Amino acid sequence: IKDLIIRGGENIAPAHVEAVLLRHPAVLTVAVIGLPDPDLGERVAAVVQLASDAVVTEQDLGEFAAASLARFELPADWWLRTEPLPMHDSGKTNKTQLKTDWPR
């Protein structure tokens, strides 16, 4: 899978967005992916594994990320979950599986 999101002509590195979100105390793991968008080409989407006792909303995470990210880098779509993200045998997050499983 390519590791670059192109949103309306802007190049977005998922690793940069992930690093910012990982600084939030409620976030255990995060994967940022590009989902298709009819107007912009792709939109930024974040799959976030939260601590089981976390009380945090998409809005909370968005406001936290906005302090460190450009507006075009902010996730437009969120999937907050407590179960672990799917992994490859290599130990990397299976982003292809996340795109397939994305709640519609």
Side-chain angles (χ1 to χ4, degrees):
I1 191 168
K2 68 180 180 69
D3 203 27
L4 188 67
I5 298 168
I6 302 173
R7 179 186 181 272
E10 298 285 353
N11 294 339
I12 302 162
H16 175 64
V17 180
E18 291 165 357
V20 169
L21 291 171
L22 281 170
R23 291 191 295 224
H24 192 285
V27 175
L28 296 178
T29 292
V30 63
V32 173
I33 57 176
L35 295 178
D37 184 274
D39 297 320
L40 299 171
E42 289 182 294
R43 63 185 186 276
V44 180
V47 184
V48 182
Q49 179 188 359
L50 298 171
S52 60
D53 60 345
V55 180
V56 66
T57 65
E58 296 170 5
Q59 183 175 344
D60 295 333
L61 291 173
E63 289 172 3
F64 177 84
S68 301
L69 296 173
R71 182 181 150 136
F72 65 87
E73 294 175 306
L74 291 173
D77 297 284
W78 298 87
W79 182 5
L80 305 183
R81 48 193 273 168
T82 54
E83 60 274 354
L85 277 55
M87 304 296 272
H88 289 289
D89 291 338
S90 65
K92 291 186 176 187
T93 304
N94 187 337
K95 291 184 177 185
T96 302
Q97 186 66 48
L98 290 172
K99 282 185 176 188
T100 301
D101 293 347
W102 187 268
R104 308 267 184 255

